[in-house]
Amino acid sequence: MTIDTTQTLKPVAGGKDQPPADDWRLFKAEIKVNSAYAKALAGSALSDEERDMLVGALAQIEADFDAGDLTTAEADPRTFLDERLAEGAGDAAEKFFAARANAESDLTALRMWLLDEIERIVQAIADIQKALIQQAESHVGTLMPGYIHLQPAQPVSCAHWLLSYFWMLARDQDRLTAAIGRAGVSPLGSGLLAGSPHALDRRALATAMGFGEVTPNSIDAVSDLDFAAEFLFIAALIGAHLNRLASDLILYSNPTLGFVVIDADYISGVGENTTDTTIERARGQTGRLLGEMTGLLSALQALPGGYVADTHEARRTLYAAIDMLNALCETIEGALISLDIRPDRMLDALTERLLASDLTDYLVERGVKLREARQIVNRLLDQAETKNTTLGEMNLQDLQAHTPKFDSEVFVRLDYTRSAARHATIGGTAPAAIRAQLRQALDWLIEAGLE
Amino acid sequence: MTIDTTQTLKPVAGGKDQPPADDWRLFKAEIKVNSAYAKALAGSALSDEERDMLVGALAQIEADFDAGDLTTAEADPRTFLDERLAEGAGDAAEKFFAARANAESDLTALRMWLLDEIERIVQAIADIQKALIQQAESHVGTLMPGYIHLQPAQPVSCAHWLLSYFWMLARDQDRLTAAIGRAGVSPLGSGLLAGSPHALDRRALATAMGFGEVTPNSIDAVSDLDFAAEFLFIAALIGAHLNRLASDLILYSNPTLGFVVIDADYISGVGENTTDTTIERARGQTGRLLGEMTGLLSALQALPGGYVADTHEARRTLYAAIDMLNALCETIEGALISLDIRPDRMLDALTERLLASDLTDYLVERGVKLREARQIVNRLLDQAETKNTTLGEMNLQDLQAHTPKFDSEVFVRLDYTRSAARHATIGGTAPAAIRAQLRQALDWLIEAGLE
Amino acid sequence: MTIDTTQTLKPVAGGKDQPPADDWRLFKAEIKVNSAYAKALAGSALSDEERDMLVGALAQIEADFDAGDLTTAEADPRTFLDERLAEGAGDAAEKFFAARANAESDLTALRMWLLDEIERIVQAIADIQKALIQQAESHVGTLMPGYIHLQPAQPVSCAHWLLSYFWMLARDQDRLTAAIGRAGVSPLGSGLLAGSPHALDRRALATAMGFGEVTPNSIDAVSDLDFAAEFLFIAALIGAHLNRLASDLILYSNPTLGFVVIDADYISGVGENTTDTTIERARGQTGRLLGEMTGLLSALQALPGGYVADTHEARRTLYAAIDMLNALCETIEGALISLDIRPDRMLDALTERLLASDLTDYLVERGVKLREARQIVNRLLDQAETKNTTLGEMNLQDLQAHTPKFDSEVFVRLDYTRSAARHATIGGTAPAAIRAQLRQALDWLIEAGLE
Amino acid sequence: MTIDTTQTLKPVAGGKDQPPADDWRLFKAEIKVNSAYAKALAGSALSDEERDMLVGALAQIEADFDAGDLTTAEADPRTFLDERLAEGAGDAAEKFFAARANAESDLTALRMWLLDEIERIVQAIADIQKALIQQAESHVGTLMPGYIHLQPAQPVSCAHWLLSYFWMLARDQDRLTAAIGRAGVSPLGSGLLAGSPHALDRRALATAMGFGEVTPNSIDAVSDLDFAAEFLFIAALIGAHLNRLASDLILYSNPTLGFVVIDADYISGVGENTTDTTIERARGQTGRLLGEMTGLLSALQALPGGYVADTHEARRTLYAAIDMLNALCETIEGALISLDIRPDRMLDALTERLLASDLTDYLVERGVKLREARQIVNRLLDQAETKNTTLGEMNLQDLQAHTPKFDSEVFVRLDYTRSAARHATIGGTAPAAIRAQLRQALDWLIEAGLE
């Protein structure tokens, strides 16, 4: 048992300022798993005295770790733990190592740690959702162009646009909740491959560690990394959604549009470095989230029969994804909270072309054929554009020159606010529908226990 | 309205022999969606007479389609449907098209169709699960080497190996069920982008089509293809699991091992073409499933703001994935049902090296240090191999030359059946544990409504 | 030998209107490969008479195919070819099949066919490059905002922007040329796995088929699909480049910017279906190109030792990629040729903020510290914006209030044309540099044999 | 200019033991690029004195870095460099920063560094190629089963199997050489986006830094990361090839086959941790290489128009890929050099079934129809297997009972060595062909300058 004391394990206690890096992130989970396992093996592989020695030694190691007193050159937390345990618990450790397989310990600790991380990401996404709601509440009546393939299509409420991202994230939250359920199954007690040879209450052990269920097949249990792949998929999907939001923000902040002003902390000036907090960098990371998932799934697919999971690569992939996702969430939340939305610029960008479908509806209601109605509307809009005027400034006679079906009610239709108000079904852009949607969003947060 | 009658739409009626190809797979779903929508718009955008004309025309088109009487050169089913509807319902169709946006119709039909396809895949996977159970029931007591990284590790029950795949697939089934819930949300009534301008009971409409919920935000609704990405991820994960099973079967059927004989229908002879039913080809497809998912997710991520989903690429991706997955399931199920498991060859492959961990446990129980116990066991196994004998054929004195801790009980431990029986925790390889696992598997099927 | 005549192989002759679909794309290549192989085996496995029978039968099959006279229900072209050959050449065919392995024939035909397809894609990309040059030639002096992360940064020549895509594609063309070299290596004569047992001049055979080299190791030869992976990677990279170009076009065609007007054939109106020719659909396909490549590479990675390539999946992947790439190239070329560039709108979008780096340079040249110079310039630009004026409309005194270093030459710097002219290094935006770049682009095409 | 001296930059001098980590890998390249740029700007943006100050300051920073004397909390090497340069060169630094854009400096340094890394990987792969040749030279005459889809197919030379990997890697080396050519193009002098406004000989500057060419378009130059994507693709392909080799080694080392014994340093024992040097872990990394490539390509595809490359994500992706690739190469080379090949076990695994194609040829030569010949051969092999004998032990009469075409020469064909010798075409398994292949492999290394 040699411990190299020339290289220093950095103090990791003290919380947020300096969280554990690399595999040390798993250290506390390894301690918890091993402590619970030692207790569960008492009466079969271990005597009560041996159990007490192990549990005591583990508590001491955790205390030293929390105090920042540990030093080691060992990179693998479980190997390090075993070394310290051998020092601290002597023969009890020997018996414990004989009864416990490395893979079951590592896999259980990985699941336990990931469950914690997912909980944190759920909170971070909830923070983005709340920022969206907060901005949306102030902009129910703010109108802006709704785009289809970057072409202006219809006037929509700014709150409507913001809340569209709320619901994408709500679906992702649902997926994360389901993933938590599937990851929260304990493989401990699977032994090397064939199951544990010791009398062991696996269910009680799982409960003691905070898991909801136990794995039903030890061969499957020691090779299962599906929970990691599932989380990475959800991470990639969250990345895709936040990328779209970031793209909207960057586009809308373009001075020619000027719909929003992004706080200087979250966007880089021309010629400056992008930094970790900028929205541009956040965008670059979403591709990598997809890459991490592809990488793990490709590796899983190529696994040989009777594989026992080496968590090594999966761990690194998860660290990378979690760090990216946390940074991404923080940036997007910060950018949203500080976002300066400019209703005047949004209003400036509305043109009568956004009312084309309303006008077509108007004519079809009055018995004009759809195809003909579309042609009339387009012709009128083109004419107005050429003459540098608007339909609203034309008189009824000019309009009736195109079809006698026009009556004075058409001028009521040439109103952006009324257009929005007409789209009043569930999920529509009318103010009442938006307010109902806002309530639904808040209810969602409350039901999810996130508000 | 010109319909090219020189090119023939192949008759598609008559069921399984010639199912609709390409986008025609969606045709019935488009009909159902449009019929339900016409009914829901009666009283606002449509009169009751117009509704009846539309619903009647749609019923006729469906009847013609089922009879194989349709001909067209049009590739897009909804465009074709619109053409026929314009022919069959005249002005009513005009009003209907003005009230309905293309994207909401296509997206709803895509979801409806996919939900059906997922149900079929759930059944196909259940068939594999049942085949695994059936084979497992006959081989609870059949012992084989359990491998770790292709190195023999411990004797395991053949049923244990088979059931490990049951549980991988059970997790995938759970994921499919969750995906069904998330896909079963109706976007109909979202209009072009801003919501429908017509009085419309979206919830009743959703229920009429068999959906559980309605989308809460029309901007999100018309750009949401997450349900497709989620399904493709699960498809890729199923692919990875079935690939591993296929790899096991191919390896175990290698004549040098000879654990199983694969029916000639499911494996290609040397120099012959692989065909659609062979296990080798099935394996080749799992990489493509991953590729389809990467492709869609990469496309989703790059979507511009205010995007309205063109379902074109997503549809093609889904067709490809579903066809591959169905073929894969059929091959694997067929190969499993006809699989000839050879207990004699499995038994032949057991060696005392598989008992190394049992023997180490035995010595540790008797107070030998773990490291020393491992060394003694390895030395003994090497010696026996060199002398071309076995530990079971040695006498106790020979063993005690290595450590006096050996007693006659060691010979009890040198028994593969007893070794298996010792691993009796939940999920372990002992016959009782396997039988409990079999019951649990059957219960799972029953609870999932699949048995 | 039974041929099902109830299902019809569609006539494929007559060229571009109805090119062969699915695996029938490979049919002519299979014929050529088998004909060359029959000739090469004369004197060893075959007599001269047998060779003549085979070559004659193959010529007849090709003639029938070209005439559209073939009917079959067989999906695999080589299997179909073998059936017909057995009918047409009797015992000679038997001997030929004994001497030839299926995999070597399929792999050689796949390479031969792919080489042709790559040549066509090289031409299609060259057409895009020429369209870029043509537009660029008319817009050397047209200035527009150059963007960094969608923020306007510096005035650049419109030709400069267009030509940036020329060079991305030039790199891809170089990659395709290298890929042609690596794909143009003949595996024919590798037999089943161990090499051909017949006296055979593999080099002469390769030359007769138009290949440059022969594979040096038969085990490698019959499992090598790297050439397909390499092509798919390049296809994905071309896709990424054309996606960026399409995104620029869509953004610049947004009415608020209005830099370009895209012809109606290449962009979908709001609420219309996107069609195969639209730029939006083209964009959607680039993600799938990446997916196809990921899929094949993932499959290759998982191949078992001593694999013999089943070309089945690789073929499908290549068909999909080639069809997407051809459609993408055609759309982009068409959109570029018909593109209406609007110099007036580009000019309207230039603001003095684009001259910030020029003004900073001006001050640094006069001894102002960089940081201070940047602050002065930003302050001035902000002031002008607030006062709704421009620096060019200020008088020198106003400027000198910020720093006495300003002199009258500053007004010369406040000129977009002069700003462009100052960036005169190779690759810069000055007119002379752009004209040199245009010549370099033309030279590139000529050297590549594409002009 | 504040430098935090509380956190320590670890000494990086002293070479291989502690190479620079993270972005510090790029530090020397940044110094070289900036030094060359300062020299090139003398006479335009800088005076000769200013150039000398800058070059001197850079030399001092490099010396401090090499001596391990630098301390900083700054993570970005170019930002750090700028800070030190501002300290060491004062006003000259100010002018230099005004003339140089950050992105052009970072991108040039990234290319310069990557070129070095690729050269190292070329050497590492050459070492694997040499190890393959060395083992192959000792095993030209060693016969083993050649597998198709893990089914034994034909006897092949062990050298033949080993060399198949030589040629896969040779293709990858060719690809790396082409990638070096495309990466070796200097973007320096592209300025912010529009080109440099200073008189500058970009070609001379490129030559001074060791680049072969200059980029022809500054807009393209500052957004081009294709060279990174191309390298990552090749890395993924190398990963796929080495994965296949590793899979062969793991399979062949399975005790039931026992063709090879892998040194204990390169394979993990049952229940032990896999470590960085084991072949199993090496396999796990190839999926991640594919993931890194997918990630970057997906990000590139989603880039907005007029993008200026933020090298941040690309850098991280490249570090990860290069570290994985180096570790992978080292493991595979070590495993190959120490590989214990067991000709006796390989010979034991040969069965007459491997001669099926030889025997079929023999009968076809004597006029038996192919189909019939195959049936006779299969029937005979099955019979022999059932009777627990071999064809070689039967007498001629027994054989002639199946067809009178058998003559005594058949016994000559029932010889593995003669079978191998018959496959004598280029690339075949006959000893003469293998020796020619070995010479060709050596010649390849010499021509590539790697021997």
Side-chain angles (χ1 to χ4, degrees), chain A residues 283-402:
Chain A
R283 290 190 64 204
Q285 296 184 326
T286 65
R288 285 194 70 198
L289 285 170
L290 173 56
E292 295 294 344
M293 192 257 299
T294 304
L296 185 66
L297 212 53
S298 174
L300 286 186
Q301 175 202 281
L303 289 182
Y307 173 76
V308 168
D310 173 9
T311 61
H312 190 89
E313 291 309 317
R315 272 186 264 166
R316 274 163 193 44
T317 300
L318 289 169
Y319 302 157
I322 282 166
D323 288 349
M324 280 191 273
L325 207 48
N326 280 323
L328 188 55
C329 287
E330 200 179 320
T331 295
I332 297 290
E333 187 206 349
L336 280 173
I337 286 176
S338 60
L339 192 69
D340 179 12
I341 293 178
R342 303 284 300 270
D344 53 329
R345 298 297 303 271
M346 290 180 167
L347 201 62
D348 285 353
L350 298 181
T351 70
E352 284 178 341
R353 211 164 276 280
L354 292 153
L355 303 173
S357 66
D358 286 282
L359 290 171
T360 304
D361 281 359
Y362 168 90
L363 291 176
V364 170
E365 285 164 23
R366 275 150 190 77
V368 184
K369 299 252 180 189
L370 179 60
R371 188 178 304 248
E372 199 192 329
R374 281 188 179 145
Q375 284 167 348
I376 292 168
V377 169
N378 278 327
R379 215 181 308 132
L380 273 166
L381 289 168
D382 287 348
Q383 256 182 27
E385 219 167 87
T386 310
K387 294 184 184 168
N388 215 9
T389 179
T390 66
L391 272 62
E393 289 166 354
M394 291 187 182
N395 57 45
L396 188 56
Q397 266 173 300
D398 293 343
L399 296 174
Q400 285 174 338
H402 289 85

Side-chain angles (χ1 to χ4, degrees), chain D residues 42-55:
Chain D
S44 58
L46 302 173
S47 68
D48 287 1
E49 291 72 33
E50 287 163 340
R51 174 200 59 201
D52 292 345
M53 284 197 66
L54 287 159
V55 171

Side-chain angles (χ1 to χ4, degrees), chain A residues 94 147 217 248 305-306 370 426, chain B residues 94 147 202 248 305-306 370 437:
Chain A
E94 293 278 315
Y147 291 95
N217 179 304
D248 275 6
L370 179 60
I426 299 173
Chain B
E94 292 279 316
Y147 291 95
R202 289 189 60 212
D248 274 5
L370 178 59
Q437 194 187 142

Side-chain angles (χ1 to χ4, degrees), chain A residues 23 26 106-107 110 113-114 223-229 231-232 292 295-297 299-300 303 307 309-322, chain D residues 281 284-285 288:
Chain A
D23 288 334
L26 297 172
D106 288 348
L107 276 163
L110 185 63
W113 165 83
L114 183 62
S223 71
D224 174 16
L225 287 172
D226 297 1
F227 65 95
F231 168 71
L232 290 173
E292 295 294 344
L296 185 66
L297 212 53
L300 286 186
L303 289 182
Y307 173 76
D310 173 9
T311 61
H312 190 89
E313 291 309 317
R315 272 186 264 166
R316 274 163 193 44
T317 300
L318 289 169
Y319 302 157
I322 282 166
Chain D
R281 176 158 300 169
Q285 297 184 324
R288 283 195 71 199

Side-chain angles (χ1 to χ4, degrees), chain A residues 1 90-91 93-95 97-99 146-150 153-157 159-165 167-168 171-172 174-175 178 182 189-200 202-203 214-220 223-224 226-227 229-231 233 236-237 239-241 243-244 247-248 251-252 283 286-288 290 293-294 297-298 300-310 357-358 360-361 364-365 367-371 374 422-430 437 440, chain B residues 1 90-91 93-95 97-99 146-150 153-157 159-165 167-168 171-172 174-175 178 182 189-200 202-203 214-220 223-224 226-227 229-231 233 236-237 239-241 243-244 247-248 251-252 286-288 290 293-294 297-298 300-310 357-358 360-361 364-365 367-371 374 422-430 437 440:
Chain A
M1 195 65 45
D91 286 359
E94 293 278 315
K95 284 204 178 165
F97 299 152
Y147 291 95
I148 291 182
H149 296 301
L150 294 182
Q154 291 183 310
V156 296
S157 156
H160 198 178
W161 161 66
L162 288 163
L163 289 175
S164 69
Y165 288 101
W167 298 109
M168 294 180 213
R171 289 194 295 277
D172 295 334
D174 285 346
R175 290 182 179 101
R182 269 187 289 276
S190 296
L192 194 58
L193 179 78
S196 172
H198 302 289
L200 190 63
R202 286 190 61 213
R203 287 192 214 282
V214 300
T215 54
N217 179 304
S218 62
I219 296 177
D220 174 37
S223 71
D224 174 16
D226 297 1
F227 65 95
E230 182 169 359
F231 168 71
F233 163 70
L237 200 52
H241 290 146
N243 192 347
R244 283 182 61 189
S247 300
D248 275 6
L251 178 67
Y252 293 169
R283 290 190 64 204
T286 65
R288 285 194 70 198
L290 173 56
M293 192 257 299
T294 304
L297 212 53
S298 174
L300 286 186
Q301 175 202 281
L303 289 182
Y307 173 76
V308 168
D310 173 9
S357 66
D358 286 282
T360 304
D361 281 359
V364 170
E365 285 164 23
V368 184
K369 299 252 180 189
L370 179 60
R371 188 178 304 248
R374 281 188 179 145
R422 287 179 67 237
H423 296 86
T425 43
I426 299 173
T429 211
Q437 195 187 141
Q440 195 181 349
Chain B
M1 194 69 43
D91 286 358
E94 292 279 316
K95 286 205 180 164
F97 298 153
Y147 291 95
I148 292 181
H149 296 300
L150 294 181
Q154 290 184 309
V156 296
S157 157
H160 197 177
W161 162 66
L162 289 163
L163 289 174
S164 69
Y165 288 101
W167 297 110
M168 294 180 213
R171 288 193 296 276
D172 295 334
D174 286 345
R175 289 182 180 101
R182 268 185 290 272
S190 295
L192 194 59
L193 180 77
S196 173
H198 302 288
L200 190 66
R202 289 189 60 212
R203 287 192 213 283
V214 299
T215 53
N217 179 304
S218 61
I219 297 177
D220 175 37
S223 72
D224 174 15
D226 297 0
F227 65 94
E230 182 169 359
F231 169 71
F233 164 71
L237 199 53
H241 291 147
N243 191 345
R244 284 182 59 188
S247 300
D248 274 5
L251 177 67
Y252 292 170
T286 63
R288 283 195 72 198
L290 173 57
M293 191 259 297
T294 305
L297 212 54
S298 175
L300 286 187
Q301 174 203 282
L303 289 182
Y307 174 76
V308 167
D310 174 10
S357 65
D358 286 283
T360 305
D361 281 358
V364 170
E365 286 165 22
V368 183
K369 299 252 180 189
L370 178 59
R371 187 177 304 247
R374 282 188 180 145
R422 287 179 67 235
H423 296 86
T425 42
I426 299 173
T429 212
Q437 194 187 142
Q440 194 182 351

